[in-house]
């Protein structure tokens, strides 16, 4: 079974440009999460989808970030326009059910974004 | 808000035991996790413990939970060079709406 996949694995863009990150969760997982790790700091929650609905977007830094999950399958996270402080590793995770005893969230390999 | 703290670095000799410590603030934490990130790889769930347990052992890994002090530790017995990685402590509970709250990660160096 395929795990959580993220694309691209690396992206280097100039300040002011737009970048779109993609996450394909494990098939059948309703919950999809985006996280970000800025160098040397903790992994911070950005937002949580349940199917196509945003359950919690309290971690989104500002309105330059837009996440979508049309159809409740894959998700995209767009940064427009990108700033230097947006550099970091963006992780996506998916899980089957929030109420289940098995609450493991499976993480992707992350997208390393560098804004220069 | 919820917070998870852990030391940033740990260096051990091959064959020794490693102990990585973590403290958290959310008293409603239900699940506590240890994730491992090897260079260039994603986050791998190593082990987890429910808040109503105080110990869990899985082969070379031992997790200890002191709920009163909100202290979690991960012990790796007979540490190998392949254990070199960043280890993230994380918790999940009602207060956080079941989102996972991570620490900054402890980088484990294993010297041959």
């Amino acid at each position: 079974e395929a795990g959580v996949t993220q694309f691209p694995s690396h992206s280097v863009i100039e300040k002011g440009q737009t970048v779109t990150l993609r996450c394909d969760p494990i098939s059948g997982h309703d919950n999809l999460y985006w996280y970000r790790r800025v160098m040397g700091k903790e992994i911070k929650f950005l937002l949580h989808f349940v199917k196509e609905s945003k359950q919690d977007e309290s971690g989104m830094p500002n309105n330059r970030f837009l996440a979508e999950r049309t159809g409740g399958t894959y998700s995209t996270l767009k940064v427009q326009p990108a700033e230097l402080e947006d550099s970091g590793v963006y992780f996506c995770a998916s899980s089957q059910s929030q109420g289940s005893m098995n609450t493991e969230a499976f993480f992707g390999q992350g997208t390393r974004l560098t804004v220069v | 808000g919820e917070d998870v703290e852990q030391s940033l670095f740990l260096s051990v000799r091959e064959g020794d035991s490693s102990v990585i410590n973590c403290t958290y603030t959310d008293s409603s934490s239900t699940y506590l996790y240890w994730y491992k990130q090897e260079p260039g790889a994603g986050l791998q769930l190593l082990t987890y413990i429910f808040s109503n347990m105080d110990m869990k052992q899985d082969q070379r890994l031992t997790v200890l939970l002191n709920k009163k002090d909100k202290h979690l530790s991960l012990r790796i017995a007979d540490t190998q060079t392949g254990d070199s990685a960043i280890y993230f402590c994380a918790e999940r509970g009602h207060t956080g709406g079941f989102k996972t709250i991570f620490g900054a990660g402890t980088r484990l160096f294993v010297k041959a």
Side-chain angles (χ1 to χ4, degrees):
Chain A
E1 179 187 348
V4 176
T5 55
Q6 293 186 243
F7 181 84
S9 55
H10 293 85
S11 180
V12 181
I13 61 170
E14 291 184 349
K15 177 181 167 181
Q17 289 187 320
T18 297
V19 63
T20 300
L21 314 182
R22 173 171 168 145
C23 169
D24 286 74
I26 292 173
S27 177
H29 282 191
D30 289 339
N31 296 286
L32 186 150
Y33 307 83
W34 282 99
Y35 291 84
R36 175 175 74 172
R37 185 178 192 228
V38 172
M39 172 123 51
K41 303 246 172 131
E42 68 271 23
I43 300 170
K44 282 200 168 180
F45 168 83
L46 296 178
L47 89 160
H48 170 205
F49 283 100
V50 177
K51 297 184 181 178
E52 68 274 9
S53 299
K54 289 175 186 171
Q55 179 80 4
D56 180 353
E57 53 185 328
S58 60
M60 294 288 264
N62 51 61
N63 59 10
R64 295 186 292 103
F65 289 75
L66 175 64
E68 293 180 322
R69 193 183 181 195
T70 308
T73 53
Y74 71 90
S75 175
T76 57
L77 179 64
K78 182 160 75 172
V79 186
Q80 178 183 30
E83 298 290 343
L84 299 179
E85 65 263 25
D86 301 332
S87 296
V89 181
Y90 290 77
F91 290 102
C92 176
S94 71
S95 69
Q96 202 160 25
S97 168
Q98 212 172 48
S100 166
M101 287 296 283
N102 179 8
T103 60
E104 180 177 356
F106 295 85
F107 281 79
Q109 291 194 314
T111 294
R112 182 175 294 277
L113 175 65
T114 304
V115 183
V116 296
Chain B
E2 308 82 36
D3 194 24
V4 176
E5 304 242 346
Q6 53 185 126
S7 53
L8 294 182
F9 298 99
L10 176 65
S11 179
V12 300
R13 291 193 182 279
E14 192 174 21
D16 288 350
S17 291
S18 309
V19 179
I20 303 172
N21 295 298
C22 166
T23 56
Y24 59 96
T25 58
D26 183 6
S27 56
S28 80
S29 289
T30 307
Y31 309 100
L32 296 122
Y33 307 90
W34 285 103
Y35 285 87
K36 177 182 180 183
Q37 186 186 21
E38 296 183 52
L43 290 171
Q44 173 199 354
L45 179 65
L46 267 186
T47 185
Y48 66 92
I49 189 168
F50 295 119
S51 59
N52 61 358
M53 299 167 64
D54 51 24
M55 187 182 94
K56 181 178 180 181
Q57 187 149 5
D58 182 3
Q59 298 181 355
R60 293 189 298 121
L61 305 178
T62 303
V63 178
L64 295 178
L65 173 62
N66 181 328
K67 198 174 177 183
K68 175 175 167 290
D69 294 339
K70 299 192 186 72
H71 182 267
L72 184 74
S73 68
L74 173 69
R75 179 176 180 269
I76 306 173
D78 186 25
T79 312
Q80 302 298 306
T81 54
D83 295 324
S84 293
I86 302 175
Y87 291 80
F88 292 93
C89 173
E91 62 91 10
R92 199 170 181 191
H94 295 282
T95 304
F98 282 102
K99 58 180 177 279
T100 308
I101 309 296
F102 288 86
T106 298
R107 185 177 289 274
L108 175 64
F109 295 95
V110 182
K111 296 175 285 189

